[in-house]
Amino acid sequence: MCSAIGARQYTATLSNIPEDWDNVEACMKTSFYVHGKAVSTSPICTVTPALNSTTIVQGRWIVDFDESDCVPVWSAISSECSSYGMRTYQADIHVPPGLDALASCKATPAIIQEKKLYPECELARQDDGTLVAKGHWNIPDTSCAPQWVRVTPHACYTYDQKRYTAVLDKIPHEMDPLKTCFEAPLRIPGDTGLLSPVYYWAFGIDRVRKPDSCGWDGGGMVGTWYLEHSDCRPTLISMQRYGCVGSGLQRFESEVADFGPYEEWYHLCTAIPYQWWGKTYLPVKCESRKSWGKTRRYVLYDIPTDQCA
């Protein structure tokens, strides 16, 4: 029976010891051969009384060469993409009798991608009730990282946020498309109107974002992002305070400028926040007015105040 990986214990009985020899000394000095080679280590010798005033002298050796039957062996290793950018390799391991299955699994490396790697291991119960040690290796793999294509900007979703969509291309067949979509990051291009690349570099801000939502559209898995964008930041100019418009409410009004090109102004206008005494207020309405042949946009806020009690 194997005593360790690549090692087996051997026991032999020493016979024909001359009467005037010491039994233990004879055991220690007698050569022992296994696989055609002399064992270099000294044995552990025992002397046991037997019948008829005789003794039994035995030696025990741990042999750690040419013991291939005591080396655990991996079954054929299979692999599949398990998550975005990650491939999982897995295999069962045959553990020789006498060895601890889980410890042997953890101590036995495999060659994966030309590297000797040690696995993570667990015991799994088979249909017949026996326990089998299984190993797995999680290895980064670009073939498990489908890429975003057809990145498309859309209209502003709300104040300071533009909607972007992209299609996740070449999803490996074994990966769940929806799960993979939420795991796949998109590198934000420098021309989205976000903060400048220099700002991101200086302050260590990550410019890689995972989708805010995912779903099937037109037969493809589509991710959606809501990203900061200068086109979605209209500017309040010439804020004016007017009279009371109800119990405890005072009307504030400002002209609005700097709507992004092709943006629906009213949708954006109704989402413009206004800070007043540490609180944020949203518009009660927006209006479009013409004056001297020019159209201007206005936003109106009703803000609580004791002056209108």
PDB file of all heavy atoms in Angstrom, residues 183-209:
ATOM      1  N   GLU A 183     -21.285  40.900 -17.187  1.00  0.00           N
ATOM      2  CA  GLU A 183     -19.893  40.791 -16.750  1.00  0.00           C
ATOM      3  C   GLU A 183     -18.925  41.500 -17.688  1.00  0.00           C
ATOM      4  O   GLU A 183     -17.786  41.782 -17.310  1.00  0.00           O
ATOM      5  CB  GLU A 183     -19.486  39.312 -16.666  1.00  0.00           C
ATOM      6  CG  GLU A 183     -20.205  38.518 -15.585  1.00  0.00           C
ATOM      7  CD  GLU A 183     -19.872  37.039 -15.640  1.00  0.00           C
ATOM      8  OE1 GLU A 183     -19.347  36.590 -16.688  1.00  0.00           O
ATOM      9  OE2 GLU A 183     -20.133  36.330 -14.651  1.00  0.00           O
ATOM     10  N   ALA A 184     -19.349  41.770 -18.923  1.00  0.00           N
ATOM     11  CA  ALA A 184     -18.430  42.270 -19.950  1.00  0.00           C
ATOM     12  C   ALA A 184     -18.267  43.787 -19.838  1.00  0.00           C
ATOM     13  O   ALA A 184     -19.237  44.530 -19.986  1.00  0.00           O
ATOM     14  CB  ALA A 184     -18.954  41.899 -21.334  1.00  0.00           C
ATOM     15  N   PRO A 185     -17.052  44.273 -19.601  1.00  0.00           N
ATOM     16  CA  PRO A 185     -16.844  45.719 -19.485  1.00  0.00           C
ATOM     17  C   PRO A 185     -16.678  46.372 -20.856  1.00  0.00           C
ATOM     18  O   PRO A 185     -16.243  45.746 -21.817  1.00  0.00           O
ATOM     19  CB  PRO A 185     -15.548  45.813 -18.679  1.00  0.00           C
ATOM     20  CG  PRO A 185     -14.793  44.578 -19.068  1.00  0.00           C
ATOM     21  CD  PRO A 185     -15.823  43.506 -19.325  1.00  0.00           C
ATOM     22  N   LEU A 186     -17.041  47.628 -20.909  1.00  0.00           N
ATOM     23  CA  LEU A 186     -16.838  48.443 -22.108  1.00  0.00           C
ATOM     24  C   LEU A 186     -15.858  49.550 -21.769  1.00  0.00           C
ATOM     25  O   LEU A 186     -16.039  50.263 -20.779  1.00  0.00           O
ATOM     26  CB  LEU A 186     -18.165  49.052 -22.574  1.00  0.00           C
ATOM     27  CG  LEU A 186     -18.070  50.094 -23.701  1.00  0.00           C
ATOM     28  CD1 LEU A 186     -17.653  49.432 -25.009  1.00  0.00           C
ATOM     29  CD2 LEU A 186     -19.394  50.823 -23.875  1.00  0.00           C
ATOM     30  N   ARG A 187     -14.810  49.670 -22.579  1.00  0.00           N
ATOM     31  CA  ARG A 187     -13.884  50.782 -22.380  1.00  0.00           C
ATOM     32  C   ARG A 187     -14.511  52.027 -22.977  1.00  0.00           C
ATOM     33  O   ARG A 187     -14.831  52.077 -24.160  1.00  0.00           O
ATOM     34  CB  ARG A 187     -12.532  50.495 -23.026  1.00  0.00           C
ATOM     35  CG  ARG A 187     -11.525  51.628 -22.822  1.00  0.00           C
ATOM     36  CD  ARG A 187     -10.121  51.178 -23.097  1.00  0.00           C
ATOM     37  NE  ARG A 187      -9.688  50.177 -22.135  1.00  0.00           N
ATOM     38  CZ  ARG A 187      -9.260  50.460 -20.907  1.00  0.00           C
ATOM     39  NH1 ARG A 187      -9.214  51.716 -20.485  1.00  0.00           N
ATOM     40  NH2 ARG A 187      -8.879  49.506 -20.096  1.00  0.00           N
ATOM     41  N   ILE A 188     -14.693  53.031 -22.127  1.00  0.00           N
ATOM     42  CA  ILE A 188     -15.381  54.244 -22.551  1.00  0.00           C
ATOM     43  C   ILE A 188     -14.468  55.041 -23.468  1.00  0.00           C
ATOM     44  O   ILE A 188     -13.347  55.385 -23.091  1.00  0.00           O
ATOM     45  CB  ILE A 188     -15.771  55.093 -21.330  1.00  0.00           C
ATOM     46  CG1 ILE A 188     -16.687  54.281 -20.404  1.00  0.00           C
ATOM     47  CG2 ILE A 188     -16.445  56.374 -21.756  1.00  0.00           C
ATOM     48  CD1 ILE A 188     -16.902  54.925 -19.063  1.00  0.00           C
ATOM     49  N   PRO A 189     -14.902  55.339 -24.687  1.00  0.00           N
ATOM     50  CA  PRO A 189     -14.053  56.113 -25.600  1.00  0.00           C
ATOM     51  C   PRO A 189     -13.861  57.534 -25.110  1.00  0.00           C
ATOM     52  O   PRO A 189     -14.645  58.054 -24.319  1.00  0.00           O
ATOM     53  CB  PRO A 189     -14.828  56.069 -26.919  1.00  0.00           C
ATOM     54  CG  PRO A 189     -16.240  55.814 -26.521  1.00  0.00           C
ATOM     55  CD  PRO A 189     -16.192  54.968 -25.280  1.00  0.00           C
ATOM     56  N   GLY A 190     -12.821  58.173 -25.610  1.00  0.00           N
ATOM     57  CA  GLY A 190     -12.486  59.512 -25.136  1.00  0.00           C
ATOM     58  C   GLY A 190     -13.354  60.609 -25.695  1.00  0.00           C
ATOM     59  O   GLY A 190     -13.265  61.748 -25.263  1.00  0.00           O
ATOM     60  N   ASP A 191     -14.230  60.305 -26.664  1.00  0.00           N
ATOM     61  CA  ASP A 191     -15.004  61.358 -27.307  1.00  0.00           C
ATOM     62  C   ASP A 191     -16.476  61.326 -26.908  1.00  0.00           C
ATOM     63  O   ASP A 191     -17.343  61.783 -27.632  1.00  0.00           O
ATOM     64  CB  ASP A 191     -14.895  61.246 -28.828  1.00  0.00           C
ATOM     65  CG  ASP A 191     -15.373  59.892 -29.342  1.00  0.00           C
ATOM     66  OD1 ASP A 191     -15.671  59.031 -28.501  1.00  0.00           O
ATOM     67  OD2 ASP A 191     -15.441  59.726 -30.571  1.00  0.00           O
ATOM     68  N   THR A 192     -16.780  60.771 -25.723  1.00  0.00           N
ATOM     69  CA  THR A 192     -18.175  60.712 -25.299  1.00  0.00           C
ATOM     70  C   THR A 192     -18.630  61.990 -24.624  1.00  0.00           C
ATOM     71  O   THR A 192     -19.784  62.115 -24.239  1.00  0.00           O
ATOM     72  CB  THR A 192     -18.388  59.552 -24.313  1.00  0.00           C
ATOM     73  OG1 THR A 192     -17.527  59.740 -23.190  1.00  0.00           O
ATOM     74  CG2 THR A 192     -18.092  58.220 -24.961  1.00  0.00           C
ATOM     75  N   GLY A 193     -17.697  62.933 -24.445  1.00  0.00           N
ATOM     76  CA  GLY A 193     -18.067  64.139 -23.730  1.00  0.00           C
ATOM     77  C   GLY A 193     -17.897  64.006 -22.238  1.00  0.00           C
ATOM     78  O   GLY A 193     -18.326  64.856 -21.479  1.00  0.00           O
ATOM     79  N   LEU A 194     -17.255  62.911 -21.799  1.00  0.00           N
ATOM     80  CA  LEU A 194     -16.998  62.736 -20.377  1.00  0.00           C
ATOM     81  C   LEU A 194     -15.799  63.585 -19.982  1.00  0.00           C
ATOM     82  O   LEU A 194     -15.286  64.379 -20.761  1.00  0.00           O
ATOM     83  CB  LEU A 194     -16.731  61.265 -20.080  1.00  0.00           C
ATOM     84  CG  LEU A 194     -17.861  60.299 -20.447  1.00  0.00           C
ATOM     85  CD1 LEU A 194     -17.396  58.877 -20.208  1.00  0.00           C
ATOM     86  CD2 LEU A 194     -19.092  60.579 -19.618  1.00  0.00           C
ATOM     87  N   LEU A 195     -15.328  63.379 -18.757  1.00  0.00           N
ATOM     88  CA  LEU A 195     -14.131  64.079 -18.325  1.00  0.00           C
ATOM     89  C   LEU A 195     -12.973  63.737 -19.250  1.00  0.00           C
ATOM     90  O   LEU A 195     -12.928  62.672 -19.853  1.00  0.00           O
ATOM     91  CB  LEU A 195     -13.799  63.675 -16.888  1.00  0.00           C
ATOM     92  CG  LEU A 195     -14.880  64.005 -15.846  1.00  0.00           C
ATOM     93  CD1 LEU A 195     -14.480  63.409 -14.507  1.00  0.00           C
ATOM     94  CD2 LEU A 195     -15.093  65.496 -15.724  1.00  0.00           C
ATOM     95  N   SER A 196     -12.011  64.624 -19.339  1.00  0.00           N
ATOM     96  CA  SER A 196     -10.907  64.428 -20.273  1.00  0.00           C
ATOM     97  C   SER A 196     -10.058  63.231 -19.857  1.00  0.00           C
ATOM     98  O   SER A 196      -9.994  62.875 -18.683  1.00  0.00           O
ATOM     99  CB  SER A 196     -10.020  65.673 -20.298  1.00  0.00           C
ATOM    100  OG  SER A 196      -9.295  65.780 -19.085  1.00  0.00           O
ATOM    101  N   PRO A 197      -9.374  62.574 -20.825  1.00  0.00           N
ATOM    102  CA  PRO A 197      -8.482  61.464 -20.485  1.00  0.00           C
ATOM    103  C   PRO A 197      -7.420  61.861 -19.473  1.00  0.00           C
ATOM    104  O   PRO A 197      -7.023  61.055 -18.637  1.00  0.00           O
ATOM    105  CB  PRO A 197      -7.871  61.090 -21.835  1.00  0.00           C
ATOM    106  CG  PRO A 197      -8.882  61.533 -22.853  1.00  0.00           C
ATOM    107  CD  PRO A 197      -9.483  62.781 -22.272  1.00  0.00           C
ATOM    108  N   VAL A 198      -6.938  63.121 -19.535  1.00  0.00           N
ATOM    109  CA  VAL A 198      -5.926  63.576 -18.580  1.00  0.00           C
ATOM    110  C   VAL A 198      -6.491  63.559 -17.162  1.00  0.00           C
ATOM    111  O   VAL A 198      -5.833  63.158 -16.205  1.00  0.00           O
ATOM    112  CB  VAL A 198      -5.431  64.988 -18.950  1.00  0.00           C
ATOM    113  CG1 VAL A 198      -4.491  65.522 -17.873  1.00  0.00           C
ATOM    114  CG2 VAL A 198      -4.734  64.964 -20.302  1.00  0.00           C
ATOM    115  N   TYR A 199      -7.756  63.972 -17.013  1.00  0.00           N
ATOM    116  CA  TYR A 199      -8.390  63.972 -15.693  1.00  0.00           C
ATOM    117  C   TYR A 199      -8.484  62.548 -15.154  1.00  0.00           C
ATOM    118  O   TYR A 199      -8.178  62.282 -13.997  1.00  0.00           O
ATOM    119  CB  TYR A 199      -9.783  64.593 -15.797  1.00  0.00           C
ATOM    120  CG  TYR A 199     -10.495  64.723 -14.468  1.00  0.00           C
ATOM    121  CD1 TYR A 199     -10.432  65.904 -13.734  1.00  0.00           C
ATOM    122  CD2 TYR A 199     -11.219  63.662 -13.941  1.00  0.00           C
ATOM    123  CE1 TYR A 199     -11.082  66.020 -12.517  1.00  0.00           C
ATOM    124  CE2 TYR A 199     -11.867  63.762 -12.727  1.00  0.00           C
ATOM    125  CZ  TYR A 199     -11.800  64.956 -12.022  1.00  0.00           C
ATOM    126  OH  TYR A 199     -12.442  65.050 -10.820  1.00  0.00           O
ATOM    127  N   TYR A 200      -8.923  61.621 -16.007  1.00  0.00           N
ATOM    128  CA  TYR A 200      -9.040  60.231 -15.574  1.00  0.00           C
ATOM    129  C   TYR A 200      -7.687  59.690 -15.140  1.00  0.00           C
ATOM    130  O   TYR A 200      -7.563  59.000 -14.135  1.00  0.00           O
ATOM    131  CB  TYR A 200      -9.600  59.365 -16.708  1.00  0.00           C
ATOM    132  CG  TYR A 200     -11.094  59.461 -16.848  1.00  0.00           C
ATOM    133  CD1 TYR A 200     -11.670  60.233 -17.844  1.00  0.00           C
ATOM    134  CD2 TYR A 200     -11.931  58.769 -15.982  1.00  0.00           C
ATOM    135  CE1 TYR A 200     -13.044  60.317 -17.973  1.00  0.00           C
ATOM    136  CE2 TYR A 200     -13.307  58.842 -16.105  1.00  0.00           C
ATOM    137  CZ  TYR A 200     -13.857  59.616 -17.105  1.00  0.00           C
ATOM    138  OH  TYR A 200     -15.207  59.695 -17.228  1.00  0.00           O
ATOM    139  N   TRP A 201      -6.645  59.994 -15.926  1.00  0.00           N
ATOM    140  CA  TRP A 201      -5.312  59.498 -15.596  1.00  0.00           C
ATOM    141  C   TRP A 201      -4.818  60.100 -14.286  1.00  0.00           C
ATOM    142  O   TRP A 201      -4.284  59.412 -13.428  1.00  0.00           O
ATOM    143  CB  TRP A 201      -4.359  59.847 -16.737  1.00  0.00           C
ATOM    144  CG  TRP A 201      -2.934  59.487 -16.418  1.00  0.00           C
ATOM    145  CD1 TRP A 201      -2.340  58.270 -16.532  1.00  0.00           C
ATOM    146  CD2 TRP A 201      -1.930  60.372 -15.911  1.00  0.00           C
ATOM    147  NE1 TRP A 201      -1.036  58.331 -16.131  1.00  0.00           N
ATOM    148  CE2 TRP A 201      -0.751  59.612 -15.742  1.00  0.00           C
ATOM    149  CE3 TRP A 201      -1.915  61.725 -15.587  1.00  0.00           C
ATOM    150  CZ2 TRP A 201       0.426  60.166 -15.265  1.00  0.00           C
ATOM    151  CZ3 TRP A 201      -0.740  62.272 -15.110  1.00  0.00           C
ATOM    152  CH2 TRP A 201       0.415  61.501 -14.957  1.00  0.00           C
ATOM    153  N   ALA A 202      -5.020  61.400 -14.098  1.00  0.00           N
ATOM    154  CA  ALA A 202      -4.492  62.092 -12.928  1.00  0.00           C
ATOM    155  C   ALA A 202      -5.154  61.616 -11.641  1.00  0.00           C
ATOM    156  O   ALA A 202      -4.512  61.515 -10.601  1.00  0.00           O
ATOM    157  CB  ALA A 202      -4.673  63.604 -13.089  1.00  0.00           C
ATOM    158  N   PHE A 203      -6.457  61.296 -11.697  1.00  0.00           N
ATOM    159  CA  PHE A 203      -7.182  60.943 -10.483  1.00  0.00           C
ATOM    160  C   PHE A 203      -7.472  59.445 -10.387  1.00  0.00           C
ATOM    161  O   PHE A 203      -8.187  59.009  -9.496  1.00  0.00           O
ATOM    162  CB  PHE A 203      -8.489  61.738 -10.408  1.00  0.00           C
ATOM    163  CG  PHE A 203      -8.261  63.206 -10.165  1.00  0.00           C
ATOM    164  CD1 PHE A 203      -8.137  64.084 -11.226  1.00  0.00           C
ATOM    165  CD2 PHE A 203      -8.128  63.701  -8.876  1.00  0.00           C
ATOM    166  CE1 PHE A 203      -7.911  65.433 -11.012  1.00  0.00           C
ATOM    167  CE2 PHE A 203      -7.899  65.049  -8.655  1.00  0.00           C
ATOM    168  CZ  PHE A 203      -7.788  65.917  -9.726  1.00  0.00           C
ATOM    169  N   GLY A 204      -6.913  58.664 -11.301  1.00  0.00           N
ATOM    170  CA  GLY A 204      -7.042  57.214 -11.211  1.00  0.00           C
ATOM    171  C   GLY A 204      -8.454  56.703 -11.381  1.00  0.00           C
ATOM    172  O   GLY A 204      -8.826  55.688 -10.805  1.00  0.00           O
ATOM    173  N   ILE A 205      -9.282  57.396 -12.146  1.00  0.00           N
ATOM    174  CA  ILE A 205     -10.664  56.974 -12.342  1.00  0.00           C
ATOM    175  C   ILE A 205     -10.715  55.900 -13.423  1.00  0.00           C
ATOM    176  O   ILE A 205     -10.142  56.055 -14.494  1.00  0.00           O
ATOM    177  CB  ILE A 205     -11.551  58.170 -12.733  1.00  0.00           C
ATOM    178  CG1 ILE A 205     -11.544  59.202 -11.600  1.00  0.00           C
ATOM    179  CG2 ILE A 205     -12.969  57.727 -13.046  1.00  0.00           C
ATOM    180  CD1 ILE A 205     -12.302  60.466 -11.930  1.00  0.00           C
ATOM    181  N   ASP A 206     -11.393  54.795 -13.129  1.00  0.00           N
ATOM    182  CA  ASP A 206     -11.505  53.697 -14.078  1.00  0.00           C
ATOM    183  C   ASP A 206     -12.459  54.084 -15.196  1.00  0.00           C
ATOM    184  O   ASP A 206     -13.602  54.465 -14.950  1.00  0.00           O
ATOM    185  CB  ASP A 206     -12.020  52.454 -13.349  1.00  0.00           C
ATOM    186  CG  ASP A 206     -11.902  51.212 -14.208  1.00  0.00           C
ATOM    187  OD1 ASP A 206     -11.454  51.339 -15.362  1.00  0.00           O
ATOM    188  OD2 ASP A 206     -12.244  50.133 -13.710  1.00  0.00           O
ATOM    189  N   ARG A 207     -12.003  53.993 -16.436  1.00  0.00           N
ATOM    190  CA  ARG A 207     -12.836  54.359 -17.570  1.00  0.00           C
ATOM    191  C   ARG A 207     -13.458  53.125 -18.207  1.00  0.00           C
ATOM    192  O   ARG A 207     -13.849  53.145 -19.360  1.00  0.00           O
ATOM    193  CB  ARG A 207     -12.017  55.136 -18.595  1.00  0.00           C
ATOM    194  CG  ARG A 207     -11.455  56.437 -18.049  1.00  0.00           C
ATOM    195  CD  ARG A 207     -10.683  57.181 -19.102  1.00  0.00           C
ATOM    196  NE  ARG A 207     -11.551  57.623 -20.171  1.00  0.00           N
ATOM    197  CZ  ARG A 207     -11.138  57.844 -21.414  1.00  0.00           C
ATOM    198  NH1 ARG A 207      -9.890  57.615 -21.737  1.00  0.00           N
ATOM    199  NH2 ARG A 207     -11.978  58.270 -22.328  1.00  0.00           N
ATOM    200  N   VAL A 208     -13.521  52.032 -17.479  1.00  0.00           N
ATOM    201  CA  VAL A 208     -14.143  50.812 -17.967  1.00  0.00           C
ATOM    202  C   VAL A 208     -15.433  50.595 -17.180  1.00  0.00           C
ATOM    203  O   VAL A 208     -15.425  50.622 -15.956  1.00  0.00           O
ATOM    204  CB  VAL A 208     -13.200  49.608 -17.808  1.00  0.00           C
ATOM    205  CG1 VAL A 208     -13.904  48.323 -18.192  1.00  0.00           C
ATOM    206  CG2 VAL A 208     -11.956  49.802 -18.670  1.00  0.00           C
ATOM    207  N   ARG A 209     -16.537  50.397 -17.900  1.00  0.00           N
ATOM    208  CA  ARG A 209     -17.835  50.253 -17.242  1.00  0.00           C
ATOM    209  C   ARG A 209     -18.554  49.018 -17.743  1.00  0.00           C
ATOM    210  O   ARG A 209     -18.557  48.726 -18.938  1.00  0.00           O
ATOM    211  CB  ARG A 209     -18.706  51.480 -17.538  1.00  0.00           C
ATOM    212  CG  ARG A 209     -18.429  52.696 -16.671  1.00  0.00           C
ATOM    213  CD  ARG A 209     -19.209  52.664 -15.370  1.00  0.00           C
ATOM    214  NE  ARG A 209     -20.636  52.592 -15.619  1.00  0.00           N
ATOM    215  CZ  ARG A 209     -21.417  53.661 -15.815  1.00  0.00           C
ATOM    216  NH1 ARG A 209     -20.895  54.877 -15.803  1.00  0.00           N
ATOM    217  NH2 ARG A 209     -22.713  53.518 -16.017  1.00  0.00           N
TER     218      ARG A 209
END
